[in-house]
């Protein structure tokens, strides 16, 4: 049993001073405001619920920063993807676990307490399934168990290389499954997460490039009511090819044919018409925004003002993990809007804090998208929380929402002091408790992968 005392804390009833929380059996068993600290309490300056990271490809952390040299022609998403394929094709299960553990340590150190792992690196390097078809998913679960990050596992159905069922290419051999194999992957993935506290399982038909309409229906059925995630409308070329195939744009097609509802999460949804934007918002599905990766890949800017005005729900994800940071994603989301609109404080309501608006949306949208029980500082809720360092230069003398503005816009991950997941402290003094061991194993893996 741990008792935390927070000088300031963000509860469902708003900011409260002198909050005492008892963490017991993974949950908050008592939460009382206006109480002085008692001997034996762990005192923190600022306490907020842990954020969900709704979209990650953990293995890509290993190639972060390796695709920043310009090629002979103009460099696009599609040349980055070639680098990613070459990297992915070499990784053994043990190496994938080590890279995922490194990514998950960094997520926790930045204030994320759950990850939605959109997992498509399934098969052996020659493309044959492992004897245990979910071998790689089990490694993701092992990395989550090792680091204490909560897991929402989203096994990916990847069948084709382009719209209309074009045959997959050689670089995709580790990703590709037929429907029978995918059903086994989902079943074994479900077993792989059963022992992880609070884990959820969904499915992820990769994109409308990679599944046909029939494949999509089959995949959704396997979710058994859990989350359904799909990449959509990330790239202009993808939108054009979707129109050539179906006469409809990707988000339009999903609205018309797939029956979007609150279980769904469309990753990116960057390129939408105003009509698609409003209809997507009205569906109750979540927009899974990955602002740092979208900027890294030159995808474009999500039409956030129209989406938010129509009541749209969104959360954030670290996607390619080129940079891992909860504050970084929220800040980049707002900054892209500012650059596009040539305005400030685009995503806040008039008179309100932008940091608070981003934080609340990311918490609610990410929780919904991952089919998870939400983190909140309330009795009975999962004890997943983040302490911010009140002594950080960007947080000094701030109160309430200004603390979130200081974290997101002025300090970033540096302000994260301590993190608890399921009542267990996994970050202390800004460092994950297993940081050194995880980093040493990761360094060994990178030495081999970079030499190959
Ligand atoms: Zn992605």
């Amino acid at each position: 049993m741990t008792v935390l005392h927070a000088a300031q804390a963000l509860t469902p009833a708003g900011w409260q001073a002198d909050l005492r929380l008892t963490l017991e059996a993974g949950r908050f068993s008592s939460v009382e405001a206006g109480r002085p600290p008692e001997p034996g309490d762990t005192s923190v300056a600022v306490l907020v619920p842990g954020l969900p990271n709704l979209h990650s490809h953990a293995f890509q952390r290993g190639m972060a920063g390796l695709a920043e040299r310009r090629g002979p022609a103009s460099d696009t998403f599609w040349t980055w993807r070639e680098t990613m394929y070459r990297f992915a094709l070499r990784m053994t299960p043990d190496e994938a676990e080590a890279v995922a553990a490194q990514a998950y340590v960094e997520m926790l150190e930045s204030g994320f307490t759950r990850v939605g792992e959109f997992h498509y690196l399934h098969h052996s390097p020659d493309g044959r399934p492992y004897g245990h078809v979910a071998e790689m998913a089990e490694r993701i679960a092992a990395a989550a168990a090792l680091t204490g990050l909560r897991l929402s596992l989203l096994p990916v159905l990847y069948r084709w290389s382009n719209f209309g069922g074009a045959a997959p290419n050689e670089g995709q051999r580790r990703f590709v499954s037929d429907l029978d194999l995918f059903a086994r992957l989902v079943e074994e993935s479900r077993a792989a997460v059963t022992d992880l506290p609070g884990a959820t399982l969904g499915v992820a038909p990769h994109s409308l490039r990679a599944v046909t309409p029939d494949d999509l229906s089959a995949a959704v059925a396997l979710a058994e009511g859990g989350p359904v995630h799909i990449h959509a409308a990330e790239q202009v070329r993808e939108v054009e090819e979707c129109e050539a195939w179906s006469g409809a744009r990707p988000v339009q097609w999903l609205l018309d044919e797939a029956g979007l509802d609150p279980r769904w999460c469309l990753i990116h949804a960057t390129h939408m018409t105003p009509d698609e934007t409003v209809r997507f918002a009205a569906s109750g599905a979540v927009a899974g925004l990955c602002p740092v990766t979208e900027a890294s890949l030159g995808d474009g800017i999500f039409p956030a003002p129209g989406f938010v005005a129509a009541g749209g729900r969104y959360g954030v994800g670290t996607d390619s993990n080129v940079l891992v940071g909860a504050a970084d994603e929220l800040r980049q989301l707002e900054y892209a809007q500012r650059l596009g609109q040539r305005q400030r404080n685009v995503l806040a309501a008039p008179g309100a804090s932008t940091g608070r608006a981003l934080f609340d949306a990311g918490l609610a949208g990410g929780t919904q998208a991952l089919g998870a029980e939400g983190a909140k500082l309330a009795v009975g809720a999962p004890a997943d929380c983040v302490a911010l360092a009140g002594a950080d230069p960007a947080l000094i003398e701030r109160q309430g929402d200004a603390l979130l503005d200081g974290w997101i816009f002025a300090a970033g991950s540096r302000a994260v002091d301590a993190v608890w997941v399921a009542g267990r402290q996994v970050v202390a003094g800004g460092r994950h408790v297993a940081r050194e061991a995880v980093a040493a194993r990761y360094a060994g893996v990178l030495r081999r992968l970079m030499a190959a």
Side-chain angles (χ1 to χ4, degrees), residues 54-57 116-120 122 152-159 175 182 186 201-208 210-211 215-216 219-220 222-223 226-231 264-265 267:
L54 60 64
H55 188 72
S56 159
H57 310 288
E117 184 63 35
F118 194 107
H119 174 64
Y120 61 89
H122 296 310
S152 292
L153 184 59
L154 303 157
V156 171
L157 176 59
Y158 201 117
R159 289 202 72 186
F175 319 153
F182 183 64
V186 172
L201 188 96
V203 298
H206 179 273
S207 58
L208 291 176
V211 298
D215 299 331
L216 183 62
V220 171
L222 290 169
V228 180
H229 287 219
I230 186 168
H231 291 123
W264 284 73
C265 180
I267 305 302

Side-chain angles (χ1 to χ4, degrees), residues 125-295:
D126 67 8
R128 277 182 298 180
Y130 289 106
H132 229 208
V133 298
E135 167 81 38
M136 295 293 266
E138 288 164 8
R139 299 311 187 111
I140 293 293
L146 176 71
T147 58
L149 186 65
R150 294 211 199 247
L151 178 64
S152 292
L153 184 59
L154 303 157
V156 171
L157 176 59
Y158 201 117
R159 289 202 72 186
W160 316 105
S161 67
N162 216 336
F163 294 97
N169 64 48
E170 196 46 28
Q172 295 162 337
R173 63 184 181 268
R174 297 192 73 176
F175 319 153
V176 175
S177 309
D178 64 20
L179 291 177
D180 286 342
L181 187 56
F182 183 64
R184 282 172 59 203
L185 265 170
V186 172
E187 192 187 318
E188 288 190 17
S189 296
R190 203 178 289 284
V193 302
T194 45
D195 290 339
L196 295 176
T200 63
L201 188 96
V203 298
H206 179 273
S207 58
L208 291 176
R209 298 194 306 273
V211 298
T212 63
D214 286 347
D215 299 331
L216 183 62
S217 306
V220 171
L222 290 169
E224 296 181 3
V228 180
H229 287 219
I230 186 168
H231 291 123
E234 178 179 10
Q235 290 281 319
V236 170
R237 182 172 122 189
E238 171 203 345
V239 174
E240 291 167 353
E241 289 176 351
C242 187
E243 279 187 299
W245 162 66
S246 68
R249 303 162 57 85
V251 174
Q252 182 188 4
W253 191 95
L254 288 163
L255 284 160
D256 291 343
E257 307 295 334
L260 298 187
D261 64 31
R263 277 192 311 151
W264 284 73
C265 180
L266 306 193
I267 305 302
H268 308 303
T270 309
H271 301 286
M272 295 191 287
T273 63
D275 179 63
E276 287 176 296
T277 305
V278 169
R279 289 179 62 207
F280 175 15
S283 74
V286 176
L289 308 178
C290 307
V292 171
T293 294
E294 288 155 8

